[in-house]
Each structure stands twice: as structure tokens, then as C-alpha cells.
């Protein structure tokens, strides 16, 4: 019975193969990093657009302001600039 002490092929990579492996690994790491950084920003942007499109428009009233001699709405407090002048 004989035992072979050396391997049948070398276990080392060539410099070109090691360089290609390094480049592929870096590209994958950068792609994953960018995906985790950009995905939350994209999700927030889409959520904001949905909010802008679907928010209620009840806060925007197109009614004209009351004339100076007309009474104000009931329960409206008079304050601010010129509140005491009549």
C-alpha cells in the first residue's frame, strides 16, 4: 500500500483568478450596501407621494373672507393686530 504525499493539483489560485474573485466580491458587497441604504429612502419617498395624493382636501376652503362690517363667525375670538380697533 502506498500513500501519496503530494496533491494531484495545486491548491493555489492564479493572480488573475484571485483578482476576479476580489472584484466580484466587492461588487456584490457594494450592491447589497447600496440596496440597504437606498431602499428605505425609496420607501419613504413613495409613502410621502401616497400621502400627498390621498390626503383630505377639507383644510383648503375657497370661501371669501367676511366684509369689514359683517359679524364674524360665532365663537371666533378677536385677537391679533388691530383687534381692539373699531
Amino acid at each position: 500500500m502506498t500513500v501519496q504525499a503530494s496533491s494531484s493539483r495545486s491548491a493555489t489560485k492564479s493572480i488573475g483568478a484571485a483578482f476576479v474573485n476580489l472584484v466580484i466580491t466587492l461588487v456584490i458587497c457594494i450592491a447589497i450596501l447600496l440596496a440597504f441604504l437606498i431602499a428605505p429612502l425609496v420607501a419613504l419617498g413613495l409613502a410621502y407621494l401616497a400621502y400627498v395624493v390621498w390626503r383630505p382636501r377639507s383644510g383648503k376652503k375657497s370661501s371669501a373672507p367676511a366684509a369689514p362690517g359683517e359679524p364674524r363667525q360665532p365663537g371666533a375670538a378677536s385677537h391679533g393686530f388691530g383687534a381692539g380697533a373699531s
Side-chain angles (χ1 to χ4, degrees):
M1 182 170 162
T2 61
V3 176
Q4 184 176 0
S6 65
S7 64
S8 60
R9 61 177 200 162
S10 66
T12 59
K13 289 183 181 179
S14 67
I15 293 176
F19 182 73
V20 169
N21 192 14
L22 178 68
V23 169
I24 291 173
T25 303
L26 287 176
V27 167
I28 291 172
C29 288
I30 289 171
I32 291 172
L33 179 67
L34 287 178
F36 276 100
L37 289 176
I38 293 174
L41 296 176
V42 171
L44 285 173
L46 290 175
Y48 178 73
L49 286 176
Y51 166 75
V52 168
V53 169
W54 289 322
R55 70 181 173 187
R57 305 247 191 276
S58 63
K60 297 180 181 178
K61 293 183 180 178
S62 62
S63 63
E70 293 181 19
R72 304 175 112 210
Q73 295 177 355
S78 60
H79 61 278
F81 180 73
S86 46

